[in-house]
Amino acid sequence: MAELGHVYTFQYPEEFVTLPDYTAHAGHIVVTTRELTADDEVDVSEQPMWEIKASDGWVGHAFDDELV
């Protein structure tokens, strides 16, 4: 499981093409800035999700298994 404040490579699935900013950041180094827990942000029954930030300032959300 990912941890807050740690650095990971964002492995966004290449078959998901509807979010171009996410596709553009696939393979980038990101840091976890916050675990998403609110019901309006994430369905926590699936798996943990994180707010992530790339070095270029982009902020997105990632499932735990997308962070390696």
Side-chain angles (χ1 to χ4, degrees), residues 12-66:
Y12 190 66
E14 60 184 56
E15 62 270 12
F16 296 167
V17 295
T18 58
L19 300 172
D21 287 344
Y22 283 72
T23 301
H25 286 88
H28 285 222
I29 301 299
V30 298
V31 64
T32 51
T33 57
R34 182 170 67 92
E35 185 171 1
L36 302 177
T37 57
D39 290 338
D40 61 333
E41 290 183 315
V42 62
D43 179 0
V44 294
S45 67
E46 291 210 15
Q47 63 175 294
M49 281 192 80
W50 297 87
E51 181 179 86
I52 55 173
K53 186 172 184 178
S55 61
D56 65 1
W58 174 79
V59 174
H61 295 168
F63 283 106
D64 199 69
D65 68 357
E66 294 174 333

